[in-house]
């Protein structure tokens, strides 16, 4: 049974459970998951840009959208930015805990998973799954009743992963620069099940 605390996350460093996620089947053992530090800024921003580059022709006004993506590291000012390294930054994800600043599409007491990115040359090795698992662990510890995220059908691989973990379609959202988006939600009670699925994959 996962341990939990009431209220907000009381730490930002990885605990033994999170470190154990590095032993998930299919994961390379030279992968390091860690909390963001300022020295990761350029690497995180570059991986975000390269991860989203495949969607360039889907978004209207790609230049301005790309500018926002290229400042992913700024999200660390109000959220947990988890970084995956293999010599250099190869992936990242953001966990926004309850009560912390977020897009108004998410209730204030939810945890939110944002900006899951993996370098295109590093995909298919379990990095994204480990980043999601680390985020879900923090969401569980926060006591949030729900974990939310928003994504689009154009991000088919990510959407397939989220649905396989139990995230359910909650509502459709206004499109973002011409791209359709929806909100997905996972209840706190379902987080241990999702983590178990990730561990067995």
């Amino acid at each position: 049974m996962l341990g939990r605390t009431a209220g907000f996350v009381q730490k930002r460093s990885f605990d033994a459970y999170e470190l154990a996620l590095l032993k998930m089947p299919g994961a390379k053992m030279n992968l390091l998951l860690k909390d963001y530090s300022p020295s990761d800024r350029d690497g995180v921003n570059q991986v975000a840009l390269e991860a989203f580059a495949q969607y360039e022709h889907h978004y209207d006004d790609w230049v301005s959208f790309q500018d926002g993506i290229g400042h992913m590291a700024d999200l660390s000012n109000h959220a947990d930015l988890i970084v995956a390294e293999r010599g250099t930054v190869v992936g990242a994800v953001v966990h926004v805990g309850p009560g912390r600043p977020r897009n108004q599409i998410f209730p204030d007491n939810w945890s939110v998973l944002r900006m899951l990115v993996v370098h295109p040359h590093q995909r298919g090795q379990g990095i994204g799954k480990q980043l999601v698992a680390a985020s879900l662990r923090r969401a569980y510890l926060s006591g949030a009743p729900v974990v939310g995220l928003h994504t689009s059908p154009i991000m088919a691989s990510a959407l397939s992963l989220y649905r396989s973990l139990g995230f359910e379609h909650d509502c459709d959202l206004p499109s973002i620069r011409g791209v359709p988006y929806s909100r997905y939600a996972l209840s706190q009670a379902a987080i241990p099940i999702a983590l178990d699925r990730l561990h067995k994959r």
Side-chain angles (χ1 to χ4, degrees):
M1 182 67 176
L2 295 176
R4 59 166 291 183
T5 58
F8 302 114
V9 176
Q10 298 179 358
K11 61 165 182 60
R12 289 177 63 87
S13 59
F14 283 86
D15 61 17
Y17 183 90
E18 289 174 315
L19 292 174
L21 294 172
L22 296 178
K23 299 179 181 178
M24 287 167 51
K28 301 292 187 180
M29 295 307 294
N30 63 338
L31 182 72
L32 172 67
L33 294 187
K34 64 168 201 167
D35 290 295
Y36 170 84
S37 64
S39 62
D40 299 319
R41 181 178 184 81
D42 290 345
V44 166
N45 290 341
Q46 186 60 38
V47 166
L49 287 169
E50 296 192 31
F52 272 84
Q54 70 189 86
Y55 307 118
E56 177 178 358
H57 301 296
H58 293 272
Y59 287 91
D60 299 333
D61 192 9
W62 171 252
V63 174
S64 65
F65 183 77
Q66 184 183 46
D67 183 63
I69 296 297
H71 288 84
M72 179 177 177
D74 291 346
L75 297 175
S76 65
N77 294 331
H78 301 290
D80 299 331
L81 176 50
I82 302 169
V83 177
E85 282 191 353
R86 182 175 289 157
T88 60
V89 175
V90 295
V93 70
V94 174
H95 167 251
V96 183
R100 304 178 82 175
R102 81 271 313 286
N103 190 307
Q104 63 181 4
I105 65 173
F106 297 107
D108 190 60
N109 65 334
W110 286 20
S111 273
V112 179
L113 191 157
R114 291 195 61 190
M115 291 284 293
L116 173 65
V117 295
V118 176
H119 192 285
H121 295 163
Q122 299 288 335
R123 291 174 181 167
Q125 302 178 56
I127 297 171
K129 295 180 180 70
Q130 292 188 67
L131 288 166
V132 170
S135 298
L136 290 180
R137 171 64 172 171
R138 296 197 180 191
Y140 190 86
L141 290 174
S142 77
V146 177
V147 185
L149 60 86
H150 71 301
T151 189
S152 171
I154 70 170
M155 300 170 189
S157 295
L159 180 55
S160 176
L161 172 61
Y162 299 141
R163 295 302 297 266
S164 73
L165 297 179
F167 279 89
E168 297 183 350
H169 180 274
D170 186 50
C171 65
D172 291 327
L173 300 170
S175 63
I176 298 177
R177 291 177 171 81
V179 173
Y181 272 79
S182 297
R183 187 174 74 184
Y184 291 80
L186 182 74
S187 70
Q188 186 195 55
I191 293 176
I193 299 171
L195 287 170
D196 186 59
R197 289 174 180 172
L198 282 166
H199 188 71
K200 291 179 178 178
R201 293 173 78 108

